[in-house]
Amino acid sequence: MRERAIGRLTLYRRTLRELDEKMTHIFSHQLAKMVGVSAAQLRRDLMPIGYEGSPNRGYEVAGLLASLSQHLDGPGSHTVALIGVGNLGRALLPYFTARNPHLRVIAAFDTDPQKIDRIICGCRVYALERLEEVIAAEEIKVAILAVPRDTAIDCAQRAAGAGVTGLLNFAPIPLEVPRQVFVENVDLTMALEKVNHFAQRTVEVREADHTTTD
Amino acid sequence: MRERAIGRLTLYRRTLRELDEKMTHIFSHQLAKMVGVSAAQLRRDLMPIGYEGSPNRGYEVAGLLASLSQHLDGPGSHTVALIGVGNLGRALLPYFTARNPHLRVIAAFDTDPQKIDRIICGCRVYALERLEEVIAAEEIKVAILAVPRDTAIDCAQRAAGAGVTGLLNFAPIPLEVPRQVFVENVDLTMALEKVNHFAQRTVEVREADHTTTD
DNA sequence: GTTAAATTGTGAATCTTGTAACGCAGTTCA
DNA sequence: TGAACTGCGTTACAAGATTCACAATTTAAC
């Protein structure tokens, strides 16, 4: 399925989870508004998962939820490793732990001896040398990469070699991994600079508007 | 200009900044590889900014850098506000401060009395009530929204009302702001779940491969 | 049982994004 | 000098995503 759509499916699921006890049915336009997409897009996204709503009653919340989860989660483990426990890593740990009980971060890795063997948010920090060992033993398939840029490529390759098939990469550098490994890049600096660009442009537009209407 | 392309322009600039002292010229395919895009796409992205490279010598690093910055940064202030100094906010502050000297986070806001008036990473934390006042006084145009979901919409509206025209939103909820305000949503939970989905799928594919080749 | 209202699922159209191809201009080397 | 490279800028094309529009369908009301 198309990548963007999968991302939105997770949003639908998250929203539905909160609705689950409040209502039994929901219309596409209602759910769409809560998530911030158009109703047409939501319906199109749902098409491939095969769950059908009924006209005049919409989707059954529980049923759609189950159907979404079945499609989103595979048969695998749903455990995650965090590589790099720096500033960002230490923030991501409680962030994900608090939000998603289904996806547990069960192992972290760092080179700092101060951090090794400590337990943060219920997650043990291992020495980076033990990356392959622990990932293989726990059969972890997903890793969050929050290491400095210079070590990112190496860490990614080692993780992939140990069996990881999905990477959430915060390092601003293209990773080099086998094609079957899925990589999602999150570049926060890029995002902020992009916002800045359009924010500045809006200032110009506003000023232009001002002068023309003046 | 197209939104995706602007994001890539920031990547080109960032990479060029590091190259600036190492080499005077660079070819499109070299820079493209460092950033992780195709050479054709890079050249295409550069088209609208009007900077011309020369065949057989490529682009002049310093010149392209200047041209990029001129197009990316507007005439405005280049200052940023951080709204919400929780786990994520406290991590983002040093993250952005360390990485981008051009884009300075100069004000943070929170409701926690413990944090108010403290200075973190050279950035003062104000009471949330003073949001409008400080943003207007400092003429801040860009804000990072790292508050709990329930307060995000309200904070966004207040920021927009005070003159902010660009928002980097980490709250997993659609904001309601005037159309001219640019919003970039970063949903970390969605990103991780997306990675998980494709990681699990890869496991299936691998197993399928295994059985067929077996 | 029939009608009316509302919503779904989906084909077609539109818009956006990425890729490939190609002419052109410098540069090098004979 | 000119012939052959090499890489740039641009245009044309393909792929992908989003929106539009509407027939089909279900329920509620009468």
Side-chain angles (χ1 to χ4, degrees):
Chain A
M1 194 185 188
R2 302 148 299 163
E3 191 177 325
R4 302 288 281 280
I6 291 291
R8 284 192 299 269
L9 289 185
T10 70
L11 302 185
Y12 306 149
R13 174 166 69 169
R14 185 198 301 165
T15 307
L16 284 173
R17 275 187 186 146
E18 282 158 28
L19 262 53
D20 197 9
E21 286 159 9
K22 291 179 194 154
M23 52 207 298
T24 61
H25 290 78
I26 193 167
F27 295 125
S28 64
H29 63 264
Q30 296 177 306
L31 183 54
K33 178 158 194 187
M34 289 186 231
V35 173
V37 301
S38 72
Q41 182 161 63
L42 185 147
R43 292 202 299 274
R44 180 156 291 276
D45 287 341
L46 292 187
M47 236 196 289
I49 78 166
Y51 185 82
E52 306 224 335
S54 92
N56 252 13
R57 216 177 310 174
Y59 302 94
E60 200 194 338
V61 174
L64 180 53
L65 199 45
S67 214
L68 278 170
S69 282
Q70 193 190 337
H71 265 78
L72 287 172
D73 305 334
S77 60
H78 302 191
T79 54
V80 179
L82 171 67
I83 308 176
V85 193
N87 257 313
L88 191 59
R90 256 204 315 274
L92 293 175
L93 212 39
Y95 188 89
F96 287 127
T97 305
R99 267 165 194 74
N100 208 335
H102 280 85
L103 231 52
R104 285 187 308 131
V105 183
I106 61 167
F109 299 93
D110 205 292
T111 54
D112 184 351
Q114 296 264 319
K115 291 171 190 154
I116 291 168
D117 287 331
R118 284 184 50 190
I119 292 177
I120 305 177
C121 294
C123 172
R124 178 163 169 200
V125 181
Y126 296 91
L128 191 60
E129 291 86 47
R130 298 180 61 191
L131 186 81
E132 289 87 345
E133 171 203 337
V134 177
I135 284 181
E138 301 281 354
E139 294 185 350
I140 294 171
K141 300 294 173 211
V142 174
I144 302 165
L145 203 53
V147 299
R149 206 191 49 173
D150 296 339
T151 60
I153 291 179
D154 183 54
C155 286
Q157 283 172 346
R158 288 176 58 192
V164 163
T165 53
L167 278 164
L168 181 57
N169 174 40
F170 286 90
I173 192 170
L175 302 181
E176 296 167 12
V177 290
R179 201 169 327 133
Q180 73 265 21
V181 176
F182 178 84
V183 176
E184 172 85 359
N185 293 301
V186 178
D187 192 322
L188 298 175
T189 304
M190 181 190 94
L192 185 60
E193 294 207 354
K194 197 160 109 182
V195 171
N196 181 57
H197 170 78
F198 287 105
Q200 302 293 338
R201 240 174 52 117
T202 302
V203 175
E204 290 171 35
V205 171
R206 276 188 173 174
E207 280 166 2
D209 282 352
H210 187 261
T211 49
T212 50
T213 56
D214 202 26
Chain B
M1 194 184 190
R2 301 150 301 165
E3 192 177 326
R4 302 291 280 279
I6 291 291
R8 286 191 297 270
L9 289 184
T10 70
L11 303 184
Y12 305 149
R13 174 167 68 168
R14 185 198 301 164
T15 307
L16 285 173
R17 275 188 185 143
E18 282 156 27
L19 263 54
D20 198 9
E21 285 161 10
K22 292 178 193 154
M23 52 209 294
T24 63
H25 290 79
I26 192 167
F27 295 124
S28 63
H29 62 89
Q30 296 176 304
L31 183 54
K33 178 157 193 187
M34 289 187 231
V35 174
V37 302
S38 72
Q41 183 163 59
L42 185 147
R43 293 202 299 274
R44 198 206 167 94
D45 288 339
L46 293 187
M47 233 196 291
I49 77 165
Y51 183 82
E52 307 223 335
S54 89
N56 252 11
R57 215 177 312 172
Y59 302 94
E60 200 195 336
V61 175
L64 181 53
L65 199 44
S67 213
L68 277 171
S69 282
Q70 194 190 336
H71 264 78
L72 286 173
D73 305 334
S77 60
H78 302 189
T79 55
V80 179
L82 171 67
I83 307 176
V85 192
N87 257 312
L88 191 59
R90 257 203 314 276
L92 293 175
L93 212 39
Y95 188 89
F96 286 127
T97 304
R99 268 164 193 73
N100 209 335
H102 280 85
L103 230 51
R104 284 187 308 131
V105 184
I106 60 166
F109 299 93
D110 206 291
T111 52
D112 184 352
Q114 297 262 320
K115 291 170 191 155
I116 292 170
D117 287 332
R118 284 183 51 190
I119 292 177
I120 305 176
C121 295
C123 171
R124 177 159 169 205
V125 181
Y126 296 91
L128 190 60
E129 291 86 48
R130 297 182 62 191
L131 186 81
E132 289 89 345
E133 171 203 338
V134 177
I135 285 181
E138 301 280 356
E139 292 186 351
I140 295 171
K141 300 292 172 214
V142 174
I144 302 165
L145 202 54
V147 298
R149 206 191 48 172
D150 296 339
T151 62
I153 291 179
D154 183 54
C155 287
Q157 282 172 347
R158 288 176 58 191
V164 163
T165 53
L167 279 163
L168 181 57
N169 174 41
F170 286 90
I173 190 169
L175 302 182
E176 295 165 11
V177 290
R179 202 172 324 133
Q180 73 265 21
V181 177
F182 179 83
V183 176
E184 172 86 359
N185 293 300
V186 177
D187 192 322
L188 297 175
T189 305
M190 181 190 94
L192 184 61
E193 293 208 355
K194 198 161 111 183
V195 171
N196 182 58
H197 169 78
F198 288 104
Q200 301 294 339
R201 241 175 50 120
T202 303
V203 174
E204 289 171 33
V205 171
R206 277 188 171 176
E207 279 167 2
D209 281 353
H210 188 259
T211 49
T212 50
T213 56
D214 201 29

